[in-house]
Structure formats: structure tokens, C-alpha cells
Amino acid sequence: MTDRALAVVRAGALTTVQDLGRPGHAHLGVPRSGALDGPAAALVNRLVGNPPGAAVLETTFNGCAVRPRSTVTVAVGGAPCPVTLDGRPVAWGAPVHVPAGALLDVGAALCGVRSYVAVSGGVAVEPVLGSRSTDLLSGLGPAPLTDGTVFPLGPRGDTHARVDVAPQPAPPAELVLRVTPGPRDDWFTPEALRAFTSRAYRVSPASNRIGLRTEGPALERARPGELPSEGMVLGAVQVPPDGRPVVFLADHPTTGGYPVIAVVSAADLPAAAQAVPGTPVRFLAVRRR
Amino acid sequence: MRVLPVGEEALLVEVASDDEAQALHAELLRRRAEGSLSVREIVPAARTVLLDGLADPARLSSELTAAEVPPAPPHGREVVEIPVRYDGPDLADVAAHWGVPEREVPRIHAGTEFRVAFCGFAPGFGYLTGLPPRYDVPRRATPRTAVPAGAVALAGSYTGVYPRSSPGGWQLIGTTDTVLWDHARVPAALLAPGTRVRFVPIGAAA
């Protein structure tokens, strides 16, 4: 068995294929999608010598196990977790040589939510609108992994990783999200605006790739009624009628009708992708650059 | 026209009407095509156009605030025709809302030229405008858990066609076999913002 393919032995709770996503199609109702923790995905790609746009696996909480049919280099990053090769511990956050037919098990996250698995050559499923990302809102891209799925792998590049191991940020004990106000902050009472940036929230277990949901003080609107649907950006903090802020992540809808009180700085979203339910969240108001 | 900053690299431009949003959208597409506007996403909606992925949103904001937007140019593009069987389960309810006999609904709907005001909800789902305000209908009190692909539906002032089966609260008036979204096709979406649309009755109502 020397064909370039990857067999899924244990799919895990939710493992998807992710790359840089498919920006540029929002006007057709197509979400951007892509790896939620972009820097982690980029790093594992670099560790195995892949270009930044190669597709990796994104796990959720409990990892996954795969068996490559040809010899490959693999790197696991993002949420720290035990990694074994045919049952023997191997490095996390570093390139690992995986012989054809060996079983690579990416264990449950010790902290954080999402681990990233890069395989040399990248997962080479057919792209949809230029991307191999699974989009859980609209169902574009490959379905989430199931046991027994076999994915083709791309050809190995000539590039070799220039690093053996790389530091990665620890998942946040407290998630501090810098926000710029608006565009619909005028839909909220002054008390709600104060509460939003001064009170403590927690990450809700209902969070997913579409949005980081929060629990905490409900934000009261200053005006009733509905907002006509308008375009939504990554990091938008939408406030549904229950008053609990939702931070839009990669699979967010392209338009929406609930008012956006503020927008989270793009630099803080990778940490949001790694915040486990119950993590304290603080929205920190900053001035626009 | 009001320009609202959105985060660090986007602007939401708000106008007073659907027609103004259409004109602004056309003008922004023209500027992008001629190379004077560099932007990742231009997302029109009901009363707004979102510009995302801007290098210098503050500068564009002051430019746009001072700009005169010419009316939308008449479309040279052909009209997309969508054959419809007017057999939806909500036909009678829609007729009651409109205050017309049920058989009049297909005649009025198919006699209207629509335009895709914007897309959203699902890839390839267009919000089509064209019916006069007296034909607005509310959403259903209880949304259906599964609306079939190809369902032609009404809500508020909009008509839409479900690209694939999904939950939905719109009033269903008909069915089409036309494929609204096929990512293996170029373009994948049959309907994009600005596309003109006519529904052509087939079957009993034809």
C-alpha cells in the first residue's frame, strides 16, 4: 500500500478538513470558513513543509486517529494533546515521521479545544470554490470525518521544514477579546454598553464553528423592532433577542438581522477558537486604529 | 448615505431604500472593476452595502460620505427564467393575505419582473424584490422543519427559491426543478445580486 491516501480510523467528536477558506463569495451567501485557529494550522503546515494553503484536519476536544497508506511527515499543533504512533508516544508540535500503514492517534485535548493535524502533501479532496474547507453552516466542502473515510493526499513538496519544534500559545485561561464598537451599538442602552465591556461573561457549551456563544448579563436594547438583514463580518458580536453576545467565527452567516454591538479584533479570534466552555470572557473596548 | 465603521477593516454603508442600495452596489462594483477600489467582499443587503477587507477604511469612509451615487444603470443582462409549478401548500394562505382568488396568485407572481436584491441564508439563496408592497406576507407562525429544494416562497416583500432542503418559515407557493446552486457549475449560483428573474408557470397554471 503505497498510494498517497489517509484512512480515518477514529473520526473523533467532530473533525473537519480546513484550509484558508473561501473568502470572496459572501455576496452569494457563501461563508468564508477555514481553520478557526489559523496560526496553529499555518504552523503545522510549516512543520511538515506544506505551503500555508494546504488542507489540514481540525479536531474538536477528543482528537482523531488516522492511518496513512504511504510514508508521510505529520505534525500536530493547536490544542496540546498526547500523540502516539502505533501506541508509542511521539512529539506534539514537531514533525513526526509516520511509516506507511502506521496508526497515528491524536489524543484528547489536555487544554484548549481544537488540535490541527498537517500531513505532508496536504489533504487533497476536490476543492469547492477554491477551498477544501468543510463549512458546517452551508454544507460546502467535504463532510466531517467518519470512521473509514479515505482522503487522497497531495504530492509531497520539495520544501523541508526549517524548524524542528515551535512554540505555540497556550489556550486562554481568560479570554480577553478586544472590540471596536459598532456598527449597531446605538441599538443598545447605555447600561448595556457599559455591562458589555465591564461585566464577566463565560464561554457557552453551545459554541461551535459558526459562533462563540457566551453566558452572562443580557444586553438590553434601546429600541424595539428588527434590523433589515445586513452583511456580517468575521468577529462580529451579534446580540440575539436573548441578549447574550455571540462572536461570529469562520462559518458565520454572510448576512444577519440581529444588531452587531461591536467587532472583535481579528488577532484575538484564534484564542477564541481554543477557549473551552466555562472560560471567563472579557470584552475590552479599544479605539479604532 | 451613512457610513459606519465595522471593526478594523470594514465599512457598512447605509442608504434609505432598496433602490439606493442597488445603485450604490452597482457603483461600487464599477469602481472595483476599474481598479479604483480594492476590497475583498462587497455584500449588498436590504438597506446597506458591506465593504470588507479594506486597506484604509477611514479614507474610503470620508470619500464615500462626499460621493454622489449615480442611479443604477439599466441592466443589459438577460432575464433568468425559472419555470414554476404553482402548487405550494401555502397558496391559499397567500391568496387570503393578498385578498385575491387563489388562481390569481400565479398570474400576479409570474407577471412580475424580479431582481435579486441580495443573497444570504444559504449559498445561492437570493432575496428577490419586485412585488408591490400590498403583496407583502408575514412569515409562517411556525417554521417548517424541512422545506424541499426548489420550493418557491414568499416572506415580507421578498420571493426566494430554496437551493436545497432546509428548515424555513417562508410561505410556499410553488416548486421548480431549476438548480439554483451547483458548485461544480460556473458560475455556481444561478442568482447573484442584480440578476433579473421571471417565473414562468408550468403545469396546471400555465
Side-chain angles (χ1 to χ4, degrees), chain A residues 6-7 9-10 64-68 72 74-76 83-87 90-91 96-98 101-107 117-119:
Chain A
L6 189 72
V9 177
R10 180 177 66 83
C64 67
V66 292
R67 198 188 293 280
V72 293
V74 166
V76 182
V83 183
T84 63
L85 190 57
D86 283 335
V90 292
V96 174
H97 177 81
V98 181
L103 180 69
L104 178 87
D105 191 280
V106 178
V117 187
V119 181

Side-chain angles (χ1 to χ4, degrees), chain A:
Chain A
M1 294 206 300
T2 56
D3 55 329
R4 293 201 53 82
L6 189 72
V8 177
V9 177
R10 180 177 66 83
L14 173 65
T15 304
T16 60
V17 176
Q18 297 296 336
D19 57 14
L20 301 175
R22 44 183 76 83
H25 305 283
H27 63 290
L28 300 176
V30 176
R32 74 179 57 213
S33 197
L36 242 45
D37 184 347
L43 180 66
V44 290
N45 266 331
R46 201 154 64 88
L47 287 170
V48 302
N50 282 347
V56 302
L57 301 179
E58 179 183 281
T59 70
T60 314
F61 291 119
N62 71 345
C64 67
V66 292
R67 198 188 293 280
R69 291 182 175 174
S70 61
T71 298
V72 293
T73 304
V74 166
V76 182
C81 60
V83 183
T84 63
L85 190 57
D86 283 335
R88 292 188 316 279
V90 292
W92 173 90
V96 174
H97 177 81
V98 181
L103 180 69
L104 178 87
D105 191 280
V106 178
L110 300 168
C111 55
V113 179
R114 297 172 172 94
S115 299
Y116 290 84
V117 187
V119 181
S120 51
V123 176
V125 293
E126 198 59 35
V128 172
L129 299 180
S131 167
R132 299 183 166 93
S133 287
T134 301
D135 169 357
L136 293 178
L137 181 75
S138 59
L140 298 183
L145 270 61
T146 53
D147 295 355
T149 307
V150 177
F151 287 121
L153 294 174
R156 281 186 88 117
D158 298 330
T159 50
H160 289 281
R162 291 191 200 88
V163 281
D164 290 332
V165 66
Q168 299 188 45
E174 183 195 31
L175 185 61
V176 178
L177 300 175
R178 287 167 291 176
V179 294
T180 47
R184 301 295 178 189
D185 48 332
D186 58 342
W187 274 60
F188 297 89
T189 62
E191 295 74 30
L193 292 171
R194 258 197 310 278
F196 174 57
T197 52
S198 62
R199 302 277 298 276
Y201 285 85
R202 282 181 316 282
V203 174
S204 157
S207 300
N208 55 27
R209 283 185 45 83
I210 298 163
L212 180 95
R213 293 177 176 274
T214 65
E215 295 167 346
L219 301 178
E220 200 191 334
R221 285 193 198 168
R223 59 172 90 174
E226 275 184 68
L227 191 62
S229 277
E230 59 191 28
M232 291 285 145
V233 299
L234 185 68
V237 184
Q238 212 189 42
V239 183
D242 74 2
R244 267 80 189 189
V246 179
V247 180
F248 274 177
L249 302 180
D251 288 356
H252 72 84
T254 57
T255 59
Y258 297 136
V260 170
I261 190 169
V263 177
V264 174
S265 165
D268 294 343
L269 292 175
Q274 298 294 4
V276 298
T279 302
V281 183
R282 211 150 44 84
F283 295 100
L284 183 68
V286 294
R287 294 168 71 93
R288 205 164 262 108
R289 282 189 275 128

Side-chain angles (χ1 to χ4, degrees), chain B residues 95 100-108:
Chain B
V100 301
E102 199 173 313
R103 64 171 188 284
E104 281 294 289
V105 174
R107 200 188 57 77
I108 294 166

